[in-house]
Amino acid sequence: MDTSALARLDRRITGCRACPRLVAWREEVARTKRPAFADWTYWGRPVPGFGPPDARLLIVGLAPAAHGGNRTGRMFTGDRSGDVLYRALYDLGLASQPTAVTADDGLALHGVRVTSPVHCAPPANKPTPAERDTCRPWLVRELGLLRPTLRAVVVLGSFGWQATLPVFTAAGWTVPRPRPAFGHGAHVLLEAPDEEPLHLFGCYHVSQRNTFTGRLTPDMLRDVLRTAADAAGLPTADEGSPGKTR
């Protein structure tokens, strides 16, 4: 495996200026900032995926948050959604620490990579269909590079699910017809010639709306992530032993 290829892809992503509306928005947010982060130098660019090049499990979100990934330069870092996600990964022994504050805080993921179908923070967290489609080749390429080791994917939220299904097709997997519907805990096998099937799981997004209302609880999130990790062949921590894999 050419492990440097993924690093090169990440660098290319950070220089993308293909979507004028997203470029203008992410840079405007980086200039004006949120008062709580007035002393920060915002990243203000596309945010690449985060995790090792030999990941067996991929987690796909929606897009970077304006004052999260767009500020810190790392997926799900510096916002409450990331707090929930990385805490769950830590509890399962798939992350080195339960928090994600800055891009250089020492967080490491074990066999897991995190990415999104849209790499720029969009206004109101809503990329347009055209922006989604323009960003699609990046994820197709990322899946291609992860393919030798990738065994399972968890997609967070219905937008990510709908955006990612065509990516799997473009990357060479067969998506069942009719297209599988999104649902929390949904599990679909994606076939490919001469390969083991890829396990695809659906999970409610770790948005504040879902976590504050209880639509997605920590237990629900851990259950999906544990099931996906098992399908990917990753060891997970026993209950009550966060951070320590069995």
Side-chain angles (χ1 to χ4, degrees), residues 42-54:
Y42 274 52
W43 173 256
R45 289 182 278 166
V47 180
F50 168 58
D54 59 350

Side-chain angles (χ1 to χ4, degrees), residues 94-185:
L94 300 175
S96 63
Q97 61 191 43
T99 57
V101 181
T102 66
D104 59 356
D105 60 9
L107 174 64
L109 302 183
H110 308 313
V112 179
R113 184 170 170 88
V114 181
T115 192
S116 64
V118 176
H119 287 277
C120 291
N125 291 322
K126 293 180 179 179
T128 67
E131 290 162 351
R132 174 202 64 197
D133 294 347
T134 298
C135 212
R136 180 176 296 159
W138 295 124
L139 186 51
V140 172
R141 177 60 175 156
E142 188 172 10
L143 282 169
L145 293 173
L146 294 172
R147 194 176 194 123
T149 58
L150 189 64
R151 296 296 178 266
V153 178
V154 173
V155 179
L156 302 175
S158 59
F159 178 93
W161 184 270
Q162 295 302 323
T164 305
L165 289 180
V167 174
F168 291 120
T169 299
W173 280 280
T174 300
V175 176
R177 291 187 176 276
R179 282 187 178 182
F182 172 77
H184 183 78

